[in-house]
């Protein structure tokens, strides 16, 4: 199981907002602090196994998943064969929602977001942590990272030079998934992002829960992920993942995130979580969006934290007879709705664990395996179809229920693109 539970609180916010020099485009310049790499996190001696004949020509020895199942075995949930009746692509224009609201200049405005066309630059970060030699050692996370890299390059046109890998069998110190390396790599991923860019983030490793301190969690717990050096450096909390990966993105920029870890449904703190029917769970935004929401979203986009929280508290005052869970839900929507096009696929609910398992004789994460398998078999799936396809392929063997969340209300009948 990929989980850890701790009573620790947020990571040092100074790390989350570190403005140190980013990695350059070819990822060869290193970054400040790399000379202080802790040798205790070196990979095991000797080369990784090579029985598979190499991976993408790199000699890693991590074979891709077996070929896709035959169509008669599994085609996808409610889907047609490739190329037939494919779901519509996302529209290019801005999408407005909620009521018209009078702004400070007396003009009529609405909250908005913009879907990415995924026609711009593509960049990816894949992180796989097996925690070699630790009590919490896992078996399939490094495999997951390499398999995901291969998949997105073949399926979605990502270039090898634009995919950064952090795995704890690497012999390059800046490619070890320490806390600082992970934060720096995430900053590299979103640097200079533009509308219609397509960014991809994949994490396979331990996840956990810690007590929430800012009131944005309905269950009272923040979700966290664990770097390889978490015992010395601590975890990375979902609030900081959101600040690093989501907040810098402009409208129309896509970030696709996959968390193959425990307690991961809202690991990126995205406010809209979807059911298998494509509906927002506990949907309140459309009916209750008002001036406070518009102000909060605008403040978020400007980086005006004070204004954002003041508007969020105004929303609280309008909610009568609601419990803490209701308030947390509204608070998250008010403070973390984004005009960027951010989608997160996670291995399970916040209350569940994700399996570290074996498929075709190789260690893998159940979520990573299912995601690659169903999209290899049929790439023309809507968001709702894909969520159901992933759940369907895991349902017979695993209790975990993969989740879909987004940074804005979206049409789940649109074609999933990356």
């Amino acid at each position: 199981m990929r989980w850890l539970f701790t009573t620790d609180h947020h990571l040092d916010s100074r790390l989350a907002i570190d403005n140190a020099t980013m990695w350059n485009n070819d990822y060869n310049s290193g970054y400040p602090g790399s000379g202080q790499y802790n040798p205790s996190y070196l990979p095991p001696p000797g080369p990784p196994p090579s029985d598979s004949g190499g991976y993408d020509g790199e000699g890693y020895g991590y074979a891709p998943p077996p070929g896709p199942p035959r169509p008669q075995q599994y085609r996808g949930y409610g889907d047609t064969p490739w190329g037939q009746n494919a779901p519509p692509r996302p529209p290019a224009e801005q999408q407005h929602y909620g009521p018209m609201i009078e702004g400070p200049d007396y003009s009529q405005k609405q909250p908005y977001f913009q879907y990415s066309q995924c026609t711009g630059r593509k960049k990816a970060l894949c992180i796989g942590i097996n925690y070699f030699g630790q009590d919490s050692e896992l078996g399939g996370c490094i495999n997951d990272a390499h398999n995901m890299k291969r998949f997105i390059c073949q399926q979605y046109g990502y270039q090898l030079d634009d995919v950064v890998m952090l795995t704890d069998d690497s012999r390059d110190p800046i490619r070890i998934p320490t806390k600082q390396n992970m934060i720096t790599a995430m900053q590299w991923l979103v640097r200079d992002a533009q509308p219609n860019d397509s960014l991809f983030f994949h994490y396979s490793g331990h996840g956990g829960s810690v007590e929430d301190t800012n009131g944005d969690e309905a269950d009272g717990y923040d979700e966290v992920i664990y770097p390889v050096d978490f015992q010395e450096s601590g975890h990375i909390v979902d609030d900081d993942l959101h600040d690093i990966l989501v907040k810098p993105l402009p409208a129309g920029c896509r970030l696709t995130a996959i968390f193959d870890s425990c307690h991961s449904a809202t690991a990126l703190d995205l406010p809209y979580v979807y059911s298998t029917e494509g509906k927002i769970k506990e949907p309140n935004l459309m009916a209750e969006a008002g001036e406070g929401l518009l102000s909060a979203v605008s403040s978020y986009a400007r980086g005006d934290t004070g204004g954002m929280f003041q508007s969020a508290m105004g929303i609280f005052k309008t909610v009568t007879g609601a419990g803490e869970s209701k308030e947390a839900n509204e608070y998250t929507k008010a403070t973390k709705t984004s005009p960027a096009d951010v989608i997160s696929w996670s291995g399970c609910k916040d209350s569940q664990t994700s399996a570290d398992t074996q498929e075709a004789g190789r260690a893998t994460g159940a979520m990573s395996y299912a995601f690659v398998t169903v999209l290899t078999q049929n790439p023309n799936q809507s968001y709702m179809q894909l969520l159901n396809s992933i759940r369907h392929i895991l349902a017979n063997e695993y209790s975990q229920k993969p989740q879909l969340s987004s940074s804005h209300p979206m049409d789940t009948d649109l074609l999933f693109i990356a």
Side-chain angles (χ1 to χ4, degrees):
M1 295 296 183
R2 302 179 176 201
W3 68 278
L4 289 172
F5 189 90
T6 176
T7 56
D8 293 341
H9 295 287
H10 294 11
L11 68 97
D12 186 344
S13 60
R14 290 169 297 178
L15 291 177
I17 60 174
D18 180 21
N19 291 318
T21 302
M22 307 296 185
W23 298 346
N24 66 6
N25 288 340
D26 63 7
Y27 189 67
N28 290 323
S29 64
Y31 58 91
S34 61
Q36 299 178 5
Y37 165 67
N38 187 337
S40 65
Y41 299 107
L42 284 170
S50 58
D51 55 297
S52 69
Y55 183 93
D56 282 344
E58 298 174 353
Y60 286 109
Y62 298 109
R70 297 189 302 273
Q72 60 265 35
Q73 288 180 308
Y74 183 75
R75 189 172 67 213
Y77 187 92
D79 227 51
T80 54
W82 292 6
Q84 297 183 19
N85 301 323
R89 288 182 59 88
E93 62 273 8
Q94 290 183 356
Q95 304 297 300
H96 295 268
Y97 59 93
M100 295 296 296
I101 301 165
E102 188 175 280
D105 58 354
Y106 302 104
S107 63
Q108 296 293 308
K109 298 181 180 180
Q110 279 183 298
Y112 80 96
F113 64 91
Q114 187 171 355
Y115 292 110
S116 175
Q117 301 304 297
C118 298
T119 54
R121 185 177 182 187
K122 295 179 180 286
K123 297 169 66 177
L125 169 61
C126 298
I127 302 172
I129 313 177
N130 280 5
Y131 307 91
F132 291 117
Q134 302 187 41
D135 292 339
S136 55
E137 184 170 338
L138 296 170
C141 300
I142 294 176
N143 287 349
D144 290 342
H146 286 286
N147 291 335
M148 194 62 68
K149 172 185 177 181
R150 174 180 179 270
F151 171 73
I152 62 174
C153 288
Q154 292 184 350
Q155 191 72 50
Y156 295 111
Y158 286 74
Q159 301 299 308
L160 292 177
D161 289 344
D162 292 322
V163 180
V164 167
M165 301 285 294
L166 299 185
T167 59
D168 51 343
D169 66 345
S170 176
R171 284 164 176 77
D172 184 345
I174 66 171
R175 295 178 187 265
I176 297 291
T178 62
K179 181 177 179 178
Q180 183 59 67
N181 283 355
M182 287 172 63
I183 290 172
T184 305
M186 288 186 283
Q187 292 171 329
W188 165 85
L189 180 65
V190 301
R191 185 184 68 184
D192 298 328
Q194 300 294 321
N196 294 318
D197 282 355
S198 186
L199 313 177
F200 196 97
F201 174 82
H202 173 252
Y203 170 80
S204 182
H206 277 304
S209 301
V210 298
E211 185 177 354
D212 174 40
T213 60
N214 66 355
D216 67 343
E217 298 286 348
D219 62 358
Y221 290 93
D222 279 319
E223 288 66 53
V224 301
I225 58 175
Y226 289 89
V228 68
D229 61 341
F230 71 91
Q231 296 185 51
E232 292 77 23
S233 301
H235 52 252
I236 305 177
V237 74
D238 54 4
D239 296 288
D240 293 313
L241 288 171
H242 183 94
D243 286 346
I244 298 169
L245 289 172
V246 180
K247 200 167 185 178
L249 301 179
C253 178
R254 160 57 67 87
L255 170 65
T256 302
I258 299 177
F259 289 89
D260 196 346
S261 54
C262 298
H263 309 291
S264 56
T266 58
L268 204 51
D269 253 7
L270 302 182
Y272 304 96
V273 182
Y274 295 86
S275 71
T276 52
E277 297 177 344
K279 298 178 181 179
I280 298 173
K281 295 182 179 180
E282 300 183 9
N284 297 299
L285 180 65
M286 294 301 185
E288 300 177 8
E291 186 171 357
L293 174 62
L294 178 63
S295 177
V297 172
S298 299
S299 296
Y300 175 99
R302 295 193 306 269
D304 178 8
T305 304
M308 177 182 67
F309 282 99
Q310 184 176 4
S311 300
M313 293 310 296
I315 290 177
F316 278 166
K317 294 177 182 179
T318 66
V319 179
T320 60
E324 292 182 1
S325 177
K326 170 82 169 182
E327 292 183 350
N329 184 50
E330 292 304 311
Y331 179 79
T332 300
K333 287 179 179 178
T335 58
K336 294 185 177 177
T337 294
S338 169
D341 191 20
V342 183
I343 306 297
S344 178
W345 301 93
S346 55
C348 61
K349 295 181 177 180
D350 283 339
S351 60
Q352 293 181 316
T353 58
S354 289
D356 191 48
T357 186
Q358 294 274 330
E359 293 288 349
R362 289 190 175 274
T364 185
M367 174 62 188
S368 297
Y369 175 82
F371 185 86
V372 170
T373 298
V374 299
L375 281 172
T376 300
Q377 173 56 34
N378 187 349
N380 294 323
Q381 299 191 53
S382 69
Y383 292 91
M384 182 173 64
Q385 289 169 337
L386 181 54
L387 176 61
N388 280 284
S389 295
I390 293 170
R391 285 197 179 187
H392 180 80
I393 202 172
L394 297 180
N396 291 335
E397 296 185 40
Y398 308 101
S399 61
Q400 67 192 77
K401 294 183 178 180
Q403 304 288 306
L404 167 64
S405 60
S406 67
S407 61
H408 55 70
M410 70 172 184
D411 182 355
T412 57
D413 287 327
L414 294 173
L415 178 69
F416 169 73
I417 58 176

